[in-house]
Amino acid sequence: MKRKITLKQIAQELDVSISTVSKALRNSAEISDDTKQKVQAFAKLYNYRPNNIALSLKNRRTNTIGIIIPEIVHHFFSNVISGVEHVANKRGYNVIIGLSNESFSKEVINMEMLANGSIDGFILSIAKETQKLQDYHHFNETMSQGMPIVMFDRVVAEINCDKVIVDDFNGAKKAVEKLIKNNCKSIALITTNDYVSVGKLRTQGYLEAFEENGITAEPKLILKIDDTLDNETQLDVLENEIEQLFKSNKSIDGVFAVNELYALLAMKVATKLGLEVPEDVQVIGFTDGVLSKHSTPRLTTVRQHAHRMGEMAAQLLIDKLESEYDTIDEEFQTVVIPTELIERESTK
Amino acid sequence: MKRKITLKQIAQELDVSISTVSKALRNSAEISDDTKQKVQAFAKLYNYRPNNIALSLKNRRTNTIGIIIPEIVHHFFSNVISGVEHVANKRGYNVIIGLSNESFSKEVINMEMLANGSIDGFILSIAKETQKLQDYHHFNETMSQGMPIVMFDRVVAEINCDKVIVDDFNGAKKAVEKLIKNNCKSIALITTNDYVSVGKLRTQGYLEAFEENGITAEPKLILKIDDTLDNETQLDVLENEIEQLFKSNKSIDGVFAVNELYALLAMKVATKLGLEVPEDVQVIGFTDGVLSKHSTPRLTTVRQHAHRMGEMAAQLLIDKLESEYDTIDEEFQTVVIPTELIERESTK
DNA sequence: TTGTATGCGTTATCAA
DNA sequence: TTGATAACGCATACAA
C-alpha cells in the first residue's frame, strides 16, 4: 500500500526544494528545462496529483457544489441532480448531496455540515416541513456568510437569491385549457395542500384557466390531499379519496392532477368505475416521471424539464462563484423554465 | 457579508493564543474555567464551527464517501444512494456522487478526481462499458493507494474488495420456480447481453430452475436484448422484439424478465395480442422499481432491496475506514442480500 | 494555566 | 535558476 505521493516526497527523492518541484510541475519559466524535465518525468512515473484538500484550504474554494433536496428516490429530483452534475462536472466541480427527507431539522443540519468549508455554494429545494414552518433563518445565515444559494422548484419569495422554477402556473393553465378545448365540462383538480408552493401555483393555474373561459370553479371538484402521508401504506387511502371524488361527482369528464401518482390513480379509479380513458374521462398530470410513459393508457403530462432545471441551477451558481466582482453582481435572477404539454393517450 | 470566524480571529479578539482557544473549545482540562467560559461564550455568539477542510488536511481524512454509479435517474440507484446516505450521515460522513454514465472513461476520470484527497473511500457499481472492456486498472490503483472500495450490484470477480450483491441467481430461480409451480409450461426469458453481470446471473437462475425441474430450456424462448440502446427512441424497437418473441412462440404462458421495463413491455405486448395477464400469461420482473407497483395489472417482482444494499455498502466501507488495524483486516467479504418475491397481480 | 512550534500539502512572495 | 518562508485553519506535543 503506497500512499499518494506528495511534493515533499518528490523534492526529497530528487534532492531539490518543494517550491522548485511545485514550480516545475506548473511549467514555470523560472525553472530550467533540465529540472522541469526531471521533475515532470518523476511525477508522471509516480502518478502525482495535487491533493484537493490542500488546494481547497489554500485557495479557500473547494470546487464542490452542495445540493440539498427533500428526497432522492424521486424521478424529478434525480433528474435535477443529473442536470447539476452534468454542468458541474463540465466546469470542474464536484457535487455533494444532502437529503433533508422533507424534514426541517435535517435540512438545517445538512446545510450546516456542508457550509463549514466543504462546499462553495448550495443548490437546494426546500423541504415541506420548512415550507410549513416558514423558518428560513438557515438560508439567510449561509448567504450572509458569503455562500451563494440557488433554489429550484420549491422556492420562497422571502429569500433573496437566484432561483430556477418551472412555470407551474402556466403549465397548469395550459393543461386545463387543453381539457376545456377538448370539450370537458366538469374538470376536477387533484392537488396538495397550499403550503407546498408548487401545488399552490398549479391550483392557481387551474383556476385561472376556468376564469378566462368564463367557467365557475366548483369547490367540490377540487380535492386537496394531505401529502405529508404519501408513502406506500397510504396508497389505499389516497385511492379511496379519489374514488369518493368521482362517486360524488358523476359528471367528471376531465382531471388535472398536480403530480404523476394522483393522475395515475385517477385513471385507475375511473377505469374501476367503468369509465374509459380518454373516451369518458380525460386525464392530465404534471410530471417528468416514468410512470406516465408506461401507464395504460399512457398519460398526457405537463413536462417540467427537471434535467434542464438542474443544469440551469448549476450554471447560475457557478457563474456567481466565478464572477470576480461579487460586490457588483449582487442582483439575483429567477429563471423560469417553460413547461411543455406532452400529449399521449389519456387525452383525446 | 461576514466570513466564517476562525480560531485565529477569536484568539485576537480575546487576546489569547490560538491554541488556548482551540483547547478551550474542546473543553480541555488544561484551560481555566474562566477562559473556557469566555472563549466558549464568544464562539457561541459568533457561531464558530471548525473548518472541515482544515480538519481534513490535518487528520488526513475527509469523512466523506465517494459513490460512483452508472446513472442516477434510476430507481435502483437512487435507492442505493438513499441507503448509503442514511448510514453515512448517521455516522458523520458526507456523500459525494460521481456519474459514470455507463462510460469507462467517465468512470476513470471521476474516480481520479475524487481520489485526490476529496474522499476516504468509494462505493461503486461498474459501468457497462467497463464490464465490456474488462479494464479494471483504476480500481486496483485506487486500492493500492490505500483507498478502500466497496462494490455493489455490478461487481467483478477479478477485483479483491468488499462487495454487496443481490442474490441474482436465486432470485431468478425462485421466480421461475414460482411460474413452474403455477403451471406454466412455456416460460420465456427476456434478458440482457451476458457481459452485464447481473443479467448473466439471472439467466443462469432461470436455466437452473428449468434443470432442477427436469425441463429442457429452449433457446428460442430466450430473448437477449442489447441494452446499450435502451433510451426513449428505442422503446418501439424493444416492444417489437418482444412482440416477435410472442408471435413466434404462441405457446408462451409465462415470462420472466430481468428488469422492470422488459416485464411491463411483455405485459403490454401480451395484452395487445389478446392474451390476458395473468390468466393466459403470467409475468414476473426483477426490480425494486415504481413501475411495477402502479402498472395494470400490478407486476409481481423479485425485490432487490436496493436501500438495504446501500446501507450495507456504507456500513462495510465505514467499518473498514474506522478499523484501527487495517493491516490485519485485509480480508474482504461479499455480502449477499437475499431477494424477496413480491406477489402482485401478474401471477396467479 | 497558557503559549510556542510544528505539521497536514500546496502555492506565492521574496531572497539568494 | 533555485530555495526559504509564510499562509490557508486546525490540533497537539512540548515549553514556559
Side-chain angles (χ1 to χ4, degrees):
Chain A
M1 181 185 112
K2 44 172 189 196
R3 271 225 162 289
K4 290 213 67 117
I5 197 166
T6 67
L7 289 185
K8 197 183 194 175
Q9 291 168 39
I10 299 181
Q12 275 171 347
E13 292 296 328
L14 265 41
D15 209 39
V16 289
S17 79
I18 294 179
S19 52
T20 302
V21 176
S22 175
K23 286 171 189 164
L25 289 176
R26 335 197 90 245
N27 237 318
S28 159
E30 290 179 24
I31 306 296
S32 72
D33 286 350
D34 223 36
T35 353
K36 272 200 256 186
Q37 288 229 329
K38 193 175 59 174
V39 172
Q40 288 175 1
F42 191 91
K44 185 158 198 179
L45 182 63
Y46 282 89
N47 196 29
Y48 169 80
R49 291 280 182 285
N51 180 307
N52 286 331
I53 295 295
L55 285 182
S56 295
L57 185 61
K58 177 120 195 57
N59 301 333
R60 289 135 150 270
R61 59 202 323 287
T62 61
N63 274 257
T64 301
I65 289 176
I67 170 162
I68 310 278
I69 49 171
E71 50 173 333
I72 193 172
V73 186
H74 194 297
H75 210 257
F76 176 74
F77 288 117
S78 57
N79 251 301
V80 172
I81 296 182
S82 149
V84 170
E85 215 267 349
H86 182 217
V87 169
N89 253 29
K90 212 187 315 191
R91 297 182 68 169
Y93 285 73
N94 279 125
V95 176
I96 186 164
I97 61 164
L99 306 181
S100 68
N101 234 6
E102 303 287 11
S103 137
F104 171 74
S105 62
K106 270 210 74 183
E107 184 173 275
V108 173
I109 290 171
N110 256 304
M111 284 191 67
E112 280 180 356
M113 191 150 168
L114 295 183
N116 297 319
S118 301
I119 60 159
D120 297 333
F122 280 108
I123 290 176
L124 59 86
S125 196
I126 305 179
K128 278 181 195 158
E129 198 188 353
T130 306
Q131 292 193 109
K132 209 171 190 172
L133 298 176
Q134 302 192 35
D135 183 344
Y136 309 128
H137 76 276
H138 48 312
F139 303 134
N140 284 322
E141 262 169 32
T142 43
M143 287 181 66
S144 80
Q145 285 166 178
M147 179 157 301
I149 293 179
V150 177
M151 293 190 177
F152 71 91
D153 198 51
R154 288 160 28 175
V155 304
V156 77
E158 287 91 323
I159 302 293
N160 209 8
C161 66
D162 286 323
K163 292 164 192 171
V164 182
I165 54 175
V166 167
D167 191 354
D168 290 288
F169 178 81
N170 281 306
K173 189 177 153 203
K174 276 189 288 183
V176 176
E177 280 169 350
K178 168 81 182 166
L179 291 174
I180 295 173
K181 208 187 317 163
N182 277 8
N183 229 6
C184 293
K185 299 299 176 197
S186 178
I187 303 170
L189 169 69
I190 308 181
T191 183
T192 60
N193 278 329
D194 270 351
Y195 63 81
V196 179
S197 57
V198 295
K200 190 172 178 181
L201 285 166
R202 292 170 198 169
T203 301
Q204 287 170 353
Y206 165 89
L207 295 173
E208 175 73 7
F210 271 35
E211 190 156 334
E212 282 194 7
N213 283 273
I215 309 176
T216 314
E218 296 177 64
K220 60 175 186 172
L221 287 180
I222 299 179
L223 176 58
K224 287 198 185 186
I225 286 171
D226 179 12
D227 67 349
T228 46
L229 354 138
D230 60 351
N231 47 40
E232 189 127 3
T233 46
Q234 305 298 5
L235 220 54
D236 293 335
V237 179
L238 240 159
E239 191 173 327
N240 218 36
E241 284 194 64
I242 296 175
E243 191 166 339
Q244 290 315 314
L245 172 70
F246 271 93
K247 281 185 173 164
S248 41
N249 298 281
K250 306 267 183 190
S251 63
I252 291 177
D253 56 1
V255 175
F256 172 62
V258 298
N259 64 38
E260 183 169 55
L261 186 57
Y262 297 172
L264 243 69
L265 287 174
M267 292 207 292
K268 187 175 176 188
V269 166
T271 309
K272 187 169 151 195
L273 296 178
L275 300 168
E276 294 213 18
V277 179
E279 288 75 10
D280 305 321
V281 186
Q282 300 184 53
V283 182
I284 300 183
F286 204 114
T287 181
D288 262 4
V290 282
L291 288 178
S292 47
K293 243 181 268 175
H294 299 291
S295 61
T296 344
R298 292 160 69 222
L299 181 69
T300 294
T301 67
V302 179
R303 238 195 115 183
Q304 301 166 281
H305 298 292
H307 191 88
R308 200 174 305 163
M309 286 184 77
E311 291 182 328
M312 183 58 74
Q315 192 180 310
L316 283 177
L317 182 60
I318 297 177
D319 282 352
K320 178 133 295 179
L321 289 174
E322 296 183 350
S323 71
E324 302 286 329
Y325 316 98
D326 39 7
T327 38
I328 297 178
D329 200 353
E330 213 52 348
E331 271 162 32
F332 300 109
Q333 45 183 318
T334 295
V335 176
V336 179
I337 306 284
T339 59
E340 185 185 353
L341 190 66
I342 307 286
E343 297 190 35
R344 290 198 271 244
E345 302 166 356
S346 66
T347 48
K348 288 182 195 167
Chain B
M1 183 186 112
K2 43 173 191 197
R3 271 227 162 288
K4 290 213 68 118
I5 198 166
T6 67
L7 288 186
K8 196 183 194 175
Q9 291 167 39
I10 299 182
Q12 276 170 346
E13 292 296 328
L14 266 42
D15 209 38
V16 289
S17 79
I18 295 179
S19 60
T20 302
V21 176
S22 175
K23 287 171 189 163
L25 288 176
R26 333 196 92 246
N27 236 319
S28 160
E30 290 179 24
I31 306 295
S32 72
D33 287 349
D34 224 36
T35 355
K36 272 199 258 188
Q37 287 228 329
K38 193 176 57 174
V39 172
Q40 288 175 1
F42 190 90
K44 185 160 197 175
L45 181 63
Y46 283 88
N47 195 30
Y48 170 79
R49 292 279 182 286
N51 179 307
N52 286 331
I53 295 293
L55 285 180
S56 295
L57 186 60
K58 174 125 195 55
N59 302 332
R60 286 135 149 269
R61 57 201 324 287
T62 61
N63 273 257
T64 302
I65 291 176
I67 170 162
I68 309 277
I69 49 172
E71 50 172 333
I72 194 172
V73 186
H74 194 297
H75 209 256
F76 175 75
F77 288 116
S78 56
N79 251 302
V80 172
I81 296 182
S82 148
V84 170
E85 215 267 351
H86 183 216
V87 169
N89 254 27
K90 212 187 318 192
R91 296 181 69 169
Y93 285 73
N94 279 125
V95 177
I96 187 164
I97 61 165
L99 306 182
S100 70
N101 233 7
E102 302 287 12
S103 137
F104 171 74
S105 61
K106 269 211 74 182
E107 186 173 274
V108 174
I109 290 172
N110 256 305
M111 286 190 66
E112 280 180 355
M113 190 148 167
L114 295 183
N116 297 318
S118 302
I119 61 159
D120 296 335
F122 280 109
I123 291 176
L124 58 86
S125 195
I126 305 178
K128 277 180 196 159
E129 197 188 354
T130 307
Q131 291 192 109
K132 209 170 189 173
L133 298 175
Q134 302 192 35
D135 183 344
Y136 310 128
H137 75 276
H138 49 311
F139 303 134
N140 285 322
E141 263 168 32
T142 44
M143 287 180 67
S144 80
Q145 286 166 178
M147 179 157 301
I149 292 180
V150 177
M151 291 190 179
F152 72 91
D153 198 51
R154 283 147 49 162
V155 305
V156 78
E158 289 92 322
I159 302 293
N160 209 8
C161 67
D162 286 323
K163 291 164 191 169
V164 181
I165 53 175
V166 167
D167 192 354
D168 290 288
F169 178 81
N170 281 307
K173 189 178 152 202
K174 276 189 289 183
V176 176
E177 279 169 351
K178 168 81 184 167
L179 291 173
I180 295 174
K181 208 186 318 161
N182 278 8
N183 229 6
C184 293
K185 299 300 176 196
S186 178
I187 302 171
L189 169 69
I190 308 180
T191 183
T192 60
N193 278 329
D194 270 350
Y195 63 80
V196 179
S197 58
V198 296
K200 189 173 179 179
L201 285 166
R202 291 171 198 169
T203 302
Q204 286 170 352
Y206 165 89
L207 295 173
E208 175 73 10
F210 271 34
E211 190 156 333
E212 281 194 7
N213 283 274
I215 309 176
T216 312
E218 294 177 65
K220 60 174 185 172
L221 288 181
I222 299 178
L223 176 58
K224 288 198 186 184
I225 286 171
D226 179 11
D227 67 350
T228 46
L229 356 137
D230 60 350
N231 46 40
E232 189 128 0
T233 46
Q234 304 298 3
L235 221 54
D236 293 335
V237 179
L238 239 158
E239 191 174 327
N240 217 36
E241 283 196 64
I242 296 175
E243 190 166 340
Q244 290 314 314
L245 172 70
F246 271 92
K247 282 185 173 163
S248 42
N249 298 282
K250 306 267 183 191
S251 61
I252 292 177
D253 56 2
V255 174
F256 172 63
V258 299
N259 64 38
E260 184 171 52
L261 186 56
Y262 297 173
L264 242 70
L265 287 174
M267 292 208 292
K268 187 175 175 188
V269 166
T271 309
K272 187 168 149 194
L273 297 178
L275 300 167
E276 295 214 18
V277 180
E279 289 74 10
D280 305 322
V281 186
Q282 300 183 52
V283 182
I284 300 183
F286 204 114
T287 181
D288 262 3
V290 283
L291 288 179
S292 48
K293 241 181 271 174
H294 300 290
S295 63
T296 342
R298 292 159 68 220
L299 182 69
T300 294
T301 67
V302 180
R303 237 195 115 180
Q304 302 166 281
H305 297 291
H307 190 89
R308 201 174 303 163
M309 287 185 78
E311 292 182 327
M312 182 58 74
Q315 192 181 310
L316 283 177
L317 182 61
I318 297 177
D319 281 352
K320 178 133 297 180
L321 289 174
E322 296 183 349
S323 72
E324 303 284 333
Y325 317 100
D326 40 6
T327 39
I328 297 177
D329 199 355
E330 213 53 347
E331 272 161 33
F332 299 108
Q333 45 184 318
T334 295
V335 176
V336 179
I337 306 285
T339 59
E340 186 186 351
L341 190 66
I342 307 286
E343 298 191 34
R344 291 198 270 243
E345 302 166 355
S346 65
T347 49
K348 288 181 195 168

